[in-house]
Amino acid sequence: MSTGKIIKALREACLMTQSELADQLHVTRQAVSRWENGETTPGSDLLLAMSETFGVSVDQILDSKQIRYCECCGMPIETSIMGKDKKGKIDPRYCKWCLEDGKFIYTDKEQMLDFLVANVPHPDLNDEEARRFFQSELQKLPYWQNKMA
């Protein structure tokens, strides 16, 4: 789906007119119309503002096919399960199970490892082997790199 069609669908889902969206973003109604018709594409600052207005990630507005992974647990994430910061804004780096209202649920690697061993299937590994495997994988994630050094 084109960016313009996505913007239109999101605007309509929020029951907003083009004028209301324009007022919210401090642009003209004609600018919104041009985006929706595919004549132009909003700049990065406007994409960020729309992301906040609609409660979705910029990736979703741009219909990005990029697969994101939570930087804390490594789970693939999409917009609907992204964590939120203290202000309620989406943080595309984390899932909602690792980051809630700007607070990290897992602050200790042992706590995270206990969760992974108990909840992530590992049929070919016993619990100790799984724990070593998950620990090696956590070391690759930005959230844990400094904590595990």
Side-chain angles (χ1 to χ4, degrees), residues 96-112:
K96 66 183 182 181
W97 296 286
C98 289
L99 179 69
E100 184 178 348
D101 298 323
K103 294 181 182 176
F104 286 98
I105 308 304
Y106 302 101
T107 56
D108 175 85
K109 75 171 183 168
E110 295 304 320
Q111 179 189 28
M112 181 86 251

Side-chain angles (χ1 to χ4, degrees), residues 46-95:
L46 290 167
L47 287 167
L48 285 170
M50 275 190 267
S51 171
E52 292 177 22
T53 298
F54 298 135
V56 299
S57 70
V58 172
D59 289 347
Q60 187 172 347
I61 296 170
L62 296 174
D63 198 25
S64 173
K65 302 301 181 207
Q66 176 185 9
I67 297 174
R68 290 190 179 269
Y69 296 89
C70 177
E71 292 182 12
C72 181
C73 70
M75 180 176 74
I77 55 175
E78 57 187 41
T79 305
S80 65
I81 62 168
M82 287 181 181
K84 294 188 178 181
D85 66 15
K86 291 177 185 175
K87 295 180 181 179
K89 295 180 184 174
I90 290 174
D91 187 332
R93 298 173 299 167
Y94 304 103
C95 71

